[in-house]
Amino acid sequence: MSDPGAGPNAAPKPKGGSAKKRNLLAEQELRLLSTLVLLLGIGLFLALPFVLSIGSVVFLPLTTAVILSVLLAPLADRLSAWGVPNTLASVLSLLIFVAIVVLAFSAILQPAFSLFDRLPELIEQIGARYEELQAEFAWIANANDRLADLVGSSGGNEVVLAGPSVFQQVAISAPVLLLEVMLTFLMAFFMVEARGRLRRNILFGRTSFGTSVKAARVLREVQDRVAAYILTVAWINLGVGIVVALGAWAMDLPAPIMWGGLATLLNFIPYIGPLAMTALLTLFGLGTADTVFLGLIPPVAYVVLHVFEANAITPAILGRRFTMNPVMILLAFSYFTWIWGAVGALLSVPILLMLTAFFDHIGRPNLLGFIFGEPLFQTPLIELDAEGDTGADAATASEARPG
């Protein structure tokens, strides 16, 4: 018996099941590729410190030069707008930066050398303060001795290995440091001098107009965000340094300009810099004051100033544009300090700003959502429209959609 619906005028069977199956396979393939990309990113994140640390003679000057070129490019553009030739504008912007750095370190190092002669006196005074505190908290030491008697402890001979002195370390590292400084300023000069050609190449050297516009926006956003952040934070930190210098002068501390300069420089390092400044003021205060109470006044005053600046002044001036996750700041600080030491600590926030501006344009990975089944990036590559079309039709619609 024949099927009545098998005639020539019979309606075709729906293909919804086949479309859903193709969409499911495409999503599984996309998730597999996203997993591979994520694993490669994690591997690169873990392996990059060893590569950058071993090749620090090359990578550290290059990274510093990139940040310097981003910072000095607006100044060179301003000088060029005033009629200064491009090469001369690049040289002048670099010389102005070097002059500011030399003046800042001179204001700090010269008083520091004069205070170095008082180091034995300060150590003796700190020892006296320590004996006073030890006498006040003697019960803690007694409790520790009782605990050691109950647990039992055995003493052993300590072996102390003699290492190179400070002067030997400076003599060993001086040639490498000089080479890195020379490479940094040379690369920064050539990058600043070639900024116009780089912009033209990014804007006109792409195969499509949309790619050119996106690349130009990324370059402008990175330059504007990093330069604006560094300059704004520099003015804020300079204000903090002026207040600290005035406070040191009012408290009759020696070399108030040195303390103001230290506060300005250390405030560039988030969280760790203010802690180091507090520790220095505590040690110096206890080493020069007559009592413990008077010695703790300078660090307490600085902590109050820093809390007010970090929670009221800086957020009000920088706004939401430069707001970053504190966890990301500490992660970047520890990551680049591990790689490049103190210089990496100074470069950590500008590098984080550059990466943040870059990922704001190309899309940030959705790591937490990806664990629970969401796409790795917020914009899905496969979309199902209202009629169930997938594949090339959905990709074409996505490309045609503005934004």
Side-chain angles (χ1 to χ4, degrees), residues 63-82:
T63 307
T64 309
V66 170
I67 295 176
L68 280 180
S69 63
V70 171
L71 177 63
L72 299 179
L75 178 58
D77 291 338
R78 181 64 60 87
L79 294 176
S80 299
W82 291 344

Side-chain angles (χ1 to χ4, degrees), residues 355-396:
L355 294 177
T356 302
F358 182 74
F359 282 109
D360 283 344
H361 285 271
I362 68 171
R364 298 187 181 185
N366 183 22
L367 299 179
L368 183 60
F370 182 75
I371 298 176
F372 296 99
E374 296 180 359
L376 183 60
F377 293 92
Q378 293 294 338
T379 303
L381 299 180
I382 300 176
E383 296 179 353
L384 182 65
D385 59 9
E387 297 179 0
D389 295 332
T390 57
D393 295 337
T396 305

Side-chain angles (χ1 to χ4, degrees), residues 138-211:
W139 60 275
I140 298 179
N142 295 331
N144 188 25
D145 294 337
R146 292 177 180 270
L147 182 61
D149 294 337
L150 292 176
V151 176
S153 60
S154 58
N157 296 327
E158 295 183 357
V159 178
V160 179
L161 299 178
S165 64
V166 176
F167 295 102
Q168 290 175 343
Q169 293 178 359
V170 171
I172 294 173
S173 61
V176 178
L177 179 61
L178 182 61
L179 176 61
E180 292 182 352
V181 171
M182 291 177 59
L183 287 175
T184 299
F185 286 118
L186 281 175
M187 287 189 290
F189 165 73
F190 288 118
M191 290 179 184
V192 174
E193 195 273 336
R195 67 192 184 281
R197 295 190 296 272
L198 177 62
R199 294 168 183 169
R200 288 192 296 269
N201 183 36
I202 290 178
L203 189 59
F204 300 109
R206 311 277 70 81
T207 58
S208 64
F209 179 74
T211 305

Side-chain angles (χ1 to χ4, degrees), residues 252-268:
D252 199 21
L253 293 180
I257 297 179
M258 180 197 71
W259 293 111
L262 281 176
T264 301
L265 292 180
L266 291 177
N267 214 37
F268 278 100

Side-chain angles (χ1 to χ4, degrees), residues 232 235-237 239-240 243 304-319:
T232 305
W235 284 111
I236 295 174
N237 293 346
V240 171
V243 174
V304 172
L305 172 64
H306 172 69
V307 170
F308 178 72
E309 173 264 327
N311 295 279
I313 298 178
T314 300
I317 295 177
L318 292 180

Side-chain angles (χ1 to χ4, degrees), residues 324-333 352 356:
M324 291 179 291
N325 191 343
V327 177
M328 294 301 298
I329 294 177
L330 291 176
L331 178 62
F333 174 82
L352 181 61
T356 302

